[in-house]
């Protein structure tokens, strides 16, 4: 009897040791409980045009995309998503302009990339036809694409102050479409979203203009402070100085190609009519420490 008990005891101990060895190996390989750093990538422009695209990789390797750029930027975006596993858990599209959602339309139509949720804030087609007729053909096509059978279940019209959680990342919608703003109409419909990436907050402004800046200051003043801001409208003639003063960022993401950064119309620095130098001056006054600029290529930073 004693002997049998002894054998059983030894077997249990051996079993536990084997389990511990296997568990240690699994953890060391990084497949287990080890979480990765959150990464934020600003995508480069691939043609001589402004665009905007960001990718967030979460601690457990989930993927969030914000806009993505023009149709000509689709290939670079696709490559980046494929390197992260080829699946997008949440895709935020700030507004219907093709320098933001063009790449998305290509990826949906031409690739195997799987998308779980698509977050938008859109007016009816007629609104775009009325207030931005010169771009109505594109906005029509875009809205019809989202209405397709294979996509419509994934599309979610976000609500003001809605909170979304994606793998530990808290997302809060601070701004939605503003149909009452009909000047600079398309840009002023930009969704404004705040992401809490670990200890770092990121504010995405899209192409927010003056009127929606005022609205944000009136309605969301206390929530605007953010560590990182995406500079609105590619760094020129977008959000107001007062809005940035409230955000008080330490890092700026500039979706700004070289010609815009330098205000260069092709004949040298500061020969254009863009307002980029004015915005750059505001950020100097605010003592922003770090600038990530689209013209410098795909840039990835790790966040705590
Ligand atoms: Zn834009």
């Amino acid at each position: 009897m004693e002997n049998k008990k002894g054998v059983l005891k030894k077997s249990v101990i051996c079993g536990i040791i084997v389990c511990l060895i296997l568990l240690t190996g699994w953890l060391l390989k990084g497949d287990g409980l080890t979480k990765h750093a959150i990464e934020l990538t600003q995508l480069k422009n691939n043609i001589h045009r402004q665009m905007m695209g960001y990718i967030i990789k979460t601690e457990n390797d989930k993927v969030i995309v914000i806009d993505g750029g023009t149709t000509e930027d689709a290939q670079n975006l696709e490559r980046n998503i494929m390197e992260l596993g080829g699946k997008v858990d949440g895709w935020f599209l700030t507004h219907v302009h093709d320098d933001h959602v063009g790449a998305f339309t290509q990826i949906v139509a031409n690739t195997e990339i799987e998308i779980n949720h698509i977050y938008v804030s859109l007016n009816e087609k007629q609104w775009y036809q009325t207030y931005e007729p010169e771009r109505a053909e594109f906005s029509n096509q875009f809205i019809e694409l989202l209405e397709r059978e294979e996509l419509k279940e994934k599309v979610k019209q976000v609500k003001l102050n809605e909170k979304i959680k994606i793998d530990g990342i808290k997302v809060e919608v601070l701004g939605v479409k503003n149909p009452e703003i009909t000047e600079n109409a398309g840009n002023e419909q930009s969704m404004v979203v705040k992401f809490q990436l670990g200890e770092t907050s990121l504010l995405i402004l899209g192409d927010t203009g003056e009127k929606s800046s005022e609205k944000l200051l009136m309605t969301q003043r206390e929530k605007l402070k953010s560590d990182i801001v995406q500079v609105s409208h590619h760094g020129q003639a977008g959000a107001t100085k007062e809005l940035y003063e409230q955000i008080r960022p330490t890092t700026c993401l500039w979706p700004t190609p070289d010609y815009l950064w330098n205000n260069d119309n092709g004949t040298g620095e500061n020969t254009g009519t863009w307002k980029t130098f004015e915005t750059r001056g505001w950020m100097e006054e605010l003592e922003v420490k770090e600038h990530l600029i689209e013209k410098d290529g795909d840039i990835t930073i790790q966040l705590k």
Side-chain angles (χ1 to χ4, degrees):
M1 201 59 189
E2 277 301 307
N3 269 349
K4 272 194 185 170
K5 262 192 184 172
V7 171
L8 187 65
K9 211 171 165 185
K10 273 185 189 166
S11 305
V12 170
I13 291 169
C14 281
I16 290 170
I17 290 169
V18 170
C19 284
L20 282 174
I21 290 168
L22 289 173
L23 182 66
T24 310
W26 183 59
L27 287 174
L28 285 175
K29 243 178 80 194
D31 297 339
L33 303 173
T34 319
K35 290 179 175 177
H36 301 134
I38 298 169
E39 288 183 355
L40 168 65
T41 300
Q42 176 172 262
L43 298 167
K44 64 176 179 170
N45 58 303
N46 296 278
I47 52 164
H48 187 71
R49 257 195 82 184
Q50 63 185 33
M51 56 77 82
M52 176 174 135
Y54 296 95
I55 300 175
I56 295 165
K57 184 173 79 69
T58 72
E59 285 180 330
N60 294 303
D61 302 332
K62 304 269 187 225
V63 175
I64 300 168
V65 179
I66 303 156
D67 288 349
T70 68
T71 52
E72 288 88 351
D73 299 307
Q75 215 177 356
N76 185 46
L77 175 60
E78 183 189 355
R79 187 183 56 75
N80 272 278
I81 297 171
M82 291 312 290
E83 278 175 11
L84 298 174
K87 190 175 155 191
V88 178
D89 293 89
W91 200 319
F92 291 80
L93 297 165
T94 61
H95 63 299
V96 299
H97 285 168
D98 71 317
D99 56 323
H100 295 256
V101 303
F104 168 85
T105 63
Q106 293 298 303
I107 283 182
V108 164
N110 303 321
T111 75
E112 296 300 311
I113 287 172
E114 193 187 326
I115 306 169
N116 273 354
H117 301 285
I118 301 161
Y119 300 100
V120 294
S121 179
L122 296 173
N123 296 303
E124 299 292 327
K125 273 189 230 167
Q126 188 57 49
W127 187 93
Y128 296 97
Q129 273 162 27
T130 307
Y131 297 109
E132 211 174 40
E134 68 283 6
R135 293 189 188 235
E137 196 184 335
F138 183 82
S139 49
N140 254 340
Q141 285 170 0
F142 175 68
I143 292 169
E144 279 166 15
L145 174 72
L146 294 183
E147 286 166 351
R148 278 195 206 164
E149 204 58 44
E150 68 273 21
L151 283 187
K152 67 178 185 191
E153 294 296 316
K154 301 176 178 194
V155 178
K156 186 157 193 321
Q157 288 266 4
V158 295
K159 294 193 178 69
L160 191 60
N161 297 317
E162 184 172 344
K163 292 186 173 106
I164 300 159
K165 212 168 176 190
I166 303 173
D167 189 30
I169 288 183
K170 289 181 195 150
V171 189
E172 188 168 359
V173 180
L174 301 190
V176 291
K177 62 189 174 185
N178 302 294
E180 77 283 7
I181 307 178
T182 55
E183 215 175 284
N184 185 21
N187 291 330
E188 294 280 33
Q189 306 310 305
S190 292
M191 188 201 294
V192 174
V193 198
K194 189 169 180 179
F195 294 83
Q196 192 61 44
L197 309 170
E199 291 167 17
T200 309
S201 52
L202 160 70
L203 188 66
I204 293 290
L205 293 172
D207 283 352
T208 288
E210 281 181 29
K211 291 269 162 54
S212 47
S213 292
E214 285 167 18
K215 197 170 161 182
L216 282 165
L217 281 168
M218 268 168 44
T219 56
Q220 304 285 11
R221 182 172 280 272
E222 303 311 316
K223 291 183 183 169
L224 290 169
K225 168 77 190 91
S226 301
D227 302 310
I228 307 178
V229 70
Q230 168 252 314
V231 182
S232 178
H233 198 236
H234 314 276
Q236 62 94 25
T240 61
K241 188 182 181 188
E242 291 71 27
L243 187 75
Y244 292 118
E245 282 169 347
Q246 192 62 29
I247 299 167
R248 280 177 292 129
T250 50
T251 299
C252 280
L253 306 178
W254 296 82
T256 312
D258 55 357
Y259 71 93
L260 265 188
W261 180 255
N262 296 317
N263 186 31
D264 181 353
N265 68 8
T267 55
E269 189 170 293
N270 221 357
T271 53
T273 54
W274 298 290
K275 300 266 171 48
T276 338
F277 276 97
E278 189 182 9
T279 317
R280 285 169 63 176
W282 297 346
M283 298 312 174
E284 252 170 59
E285 280 179 41
L286 289 172
E287 297 179 347
V288 170
K289 291 188 181 71
E290 193 182 11
H291 298 280
L292 277 61
I293 313 161
E294 180 175 288
K295 70 180 178 65
D296 296 330
D298 291 350
I299 304 169
T300 300
I301 54 171
Q302 293 199 340
L303 301 164
K304 282 184 191 161

